[in-house]
Amino acid sequence: QVQLQESGPGLVKPSQTLSLTCTVSGGSILTNYYSWTWIRQPPGKGLEWMGVIRSDGSTYYSPSLKSRISISRDTSKNQFSLQLSSMTPEDTAVYYCNLRETVPGGDEYWGRGTQVTVSS
């Protein structure tokens, strides 16, 4: 089965940049037919959509994060990445990656999530 796994640092210092990678494994994925999304959940709060890189490579970000966020993909490695700059303690959250097939009723996959804590 298709599996997604987030990877990156669990601890980031304030003002530094977070870099996370989502690696897709298992199954047979036609990478360019999927959208790739990052979502996060701060402690005690709901899910927050962060941004997406679409199957054509275009990106769209949450307005609240637009100045700090960048999402990219590496199709040769079946990976996509998140860069979030100027981290603050308010960015502490569990970060999830999501993969969705861009057809009606297409399959959707979630990573298990990775805890990221912003602290000095």
Side-chain angles (χ1 to χ4, degrees):
Q1 296 183 3
V2 174
Q3 294 182 323
L4 278 62
Q5 179 64 61
E6 303 90 347
S7 61
L11 181 64
V12 179
K13 294 181 178 180
S15 82
Q16 293 187 338
T17 296
L18 172 67
S19 181
L20 294 178
T21 297
C22 181
T23 300
V24 181
S25 63
S28 180
I29 297 294
L30 298 176
T31 305
N32 291 340
Y33 293 94
Y34 290 81
S35 61
W36 315 68
T37 301
W38 286 99
I39 303 100
R40 68 180 182 181
Q41 185 171 32
K45 299 181 180 179
L47 297 172
E48 177 187 6
W49 180 84
M50 301 182 69
V52 60
I53 182 165
R54 299 173 62 90
S55 58
D56 64 357
S58 62
T59 55
Y60 185 80
Y61 305 124
S62 169
S64 65
L65 300 173
K66 188 175 182 179
S67 65
R68 300 195 290 134
I69 190 172
S70 177
I71 296 174
S72 60
R73 68 180 183 182
D74 186 338
T75 57
S76 68
K77 297 180 179 180
N78 262 9
Q79 295 179 332
F80 68 112
S81 300
L82 168 72
Q83 298 274 116
L84 187 63
S85 65
S86 303
M87 296 285 283
T88 74
E90 287 71 36
D91 292 312
T92 294
V94 177
Y95 286 73
Y96 299 91
C97 59
N98 170 277
L99 179 69
R100 187 173 68 189
E101 191 178 11
T102 54
V103 297
D107 292 336
E108 184 176 357
Y109 306 94
W110 287 81
R112 295 166 57 188
T114 185
Q115 173 70 45
V116 177
T117 299
V118 184
S119 176
S120 60

